[in-house]
Structures are given as C-alpha cells and as structure tokens.
C-alpha cells in the first residue's frame, strides 16, 4: 500500500481554516471542495490514458486522452459527498458510484447501508472519497467491497488521516494484490477515546451539513 501525505503550503493553509471550529458550514464546504481538487491532482497521477492525435492550427501532433473504462469515483456517504464536486471538477468524465457506510459509535465498526455501484469493476481505476481516515474501519470495508466487485486499482482520497487508521489499512491489505494508495492532506497525531482524529476538525459530516 502506498501512502502519499500532501506537502504543499496551500493545502496546509486551507486545512488550518478547515480545522478552526469557528469556520461556518458554507466556508467549510467550499474549502473541502478546493482541497479535494488539489489532492485529486496528486491522486490521479497514474490515471490511465491513451495516445491520440490532435490537429492544432499549425500541425498534427500526438496527445493523450483518458482511457476507457473511465475512472469510477465513489464518495462514502454522508461526508464523502462533500468531496464529490471537487473531484468531478478535475475529472468530468468520471462515473460516480455511491456507498453508504455508517460507523457504530460504540464499537467503531463500519457497516454498509446503501450502495449504487456497477456490478463489475474489472479494469476500473476507483477513487474513494472519505474525508476522515480515523480507525480505518470504514475504508477497509469499502475497499474490500470494491475488490469483491473486481476493482483493479484503488486510491482513497482523505482530507485527514490518523496513524492508527493507516496502520490498520497497512495490516488489512499487506497481502492484497490490488494496488491501493492513500492520498491525504495531513497525517494527524492520534485518535482520542471516541475515535475522533486529534487535532482533527471534529465530525466532518456535521461540519459539512449540520447535525442531524
Ligand atoms: N469521523 C469524523 O468525522 N471525524 C473524526 O475525527 C473521525 C471520524
């Protein structure tokens, strides 16, 4: 498994505003979108392309276009939805599938409550959107779900990650043949006793959409 921790002053700046408890939901949403677009730039570094020829006003030359099948973007509901616009802005031709996962706040275990995905993901590059890699339970379950459907290449884009979550992922996928990459805006210090990332930014879903 590859882990890429973004190291860019613009990302750090936006993350700092995002962490601030005084940042309101509209600003929080806009910043999440902007951050995802920046992280997606790194996450799509190995996106598959094919060679095409293009006629410029001057000559004919070779370029590339995104190869088929198009990448599949999978936001994990609810908080991952806040990352979708930023991602599809960068890859407008991507297809979008949805995975609803909820974490039991006592056991911290993740379970699936909804899914809208193609039945066959063979040959697909998949990009999972989940803002908070905390215990890693949700992401491990989501990735296993996509592997069972045949995904051949999976990248998870997270705004923040905790060392415990990364360790859980490393262990869960140490013998996995499917290449898995995590791209995150920052690696925080730890999880607290409630499974929240420290220093973190609180509950990403609540901060995006308000408490329900
Ligand atoms: N989910 C969140 O929204 N925040 C955390 O800190 C951990 C999990």
């Amino acid at each position: 498994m590859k882990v890429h921790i973004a190291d860019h002053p613009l990302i750090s700046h936006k993350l700092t505003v995002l962490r601030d408890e005084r940042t309101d939901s509209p600003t929080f949403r806009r910043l999440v979108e902007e951050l995802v677009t920046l992280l997606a730039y790194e996450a799509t570094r190995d996106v598959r392309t094919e060679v095409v020829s293009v006629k410029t006003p001057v000559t004919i030359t070779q370029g590339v276009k995104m190869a088929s099948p198009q990448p599949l973007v999978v936001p994990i509901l609810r908080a991952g939805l806040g990352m979708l616009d930023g991602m599809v802005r960068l890859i407008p031709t991507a297809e979008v599938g949805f995975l609803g996962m909820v974490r039991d706040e006592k056991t911290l275990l993740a379970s699936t409550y909804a899914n809208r995905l193609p039945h066959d993901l063979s040959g697909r590059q998949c990009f999972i959107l989940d803002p908070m890699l905390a215990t890693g339970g949700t992401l491990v379950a989501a990735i296993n779900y996509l592997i069972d459907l045949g995904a051949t290449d999976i990248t998870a884009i997270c705004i923040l990650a905790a060392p415990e979550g990364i360790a859980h992922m490393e262990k869960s996928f140490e013998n996995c043949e499917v290449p898995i990459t995590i791209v995150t805006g920052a690696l925080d210090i730890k999880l607290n006793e409630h499974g929240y990332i420290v220093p973190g930014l609180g509950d990403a879903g609540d901060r995006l959409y308000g408490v329900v």
Side-chain angles (χ1 to χ4, degrees), residues 96-100 114-118:
V96 181
F98 296 90
L99 204 46
N115 99 65
R116 191 80 182 168
L117 292 168

Side-chain angles (χ1 to χ4, degrees), residues 36-48:
V36 172
T37 306
L38 293 170
L39 294 175
Y41 183 73
E42 184 58 42
T44 52
R45 189 168 286 280
D46 294 324
V47 78
R48 284 187 213 121

Side-chain angles (χ1 to χ4, degrees), residues 105-124:
E105 291 303 330
K106 286 206 179 76
T107 63
L108 301 183
L109 293 176
S111 57
T112 308
Y113 67 84
N115 99 65
R116 191 80 182 168
L117 292 168
H119 297 302
D120 182 9
L121 297 182
S122 320
R124 280 293 184 113

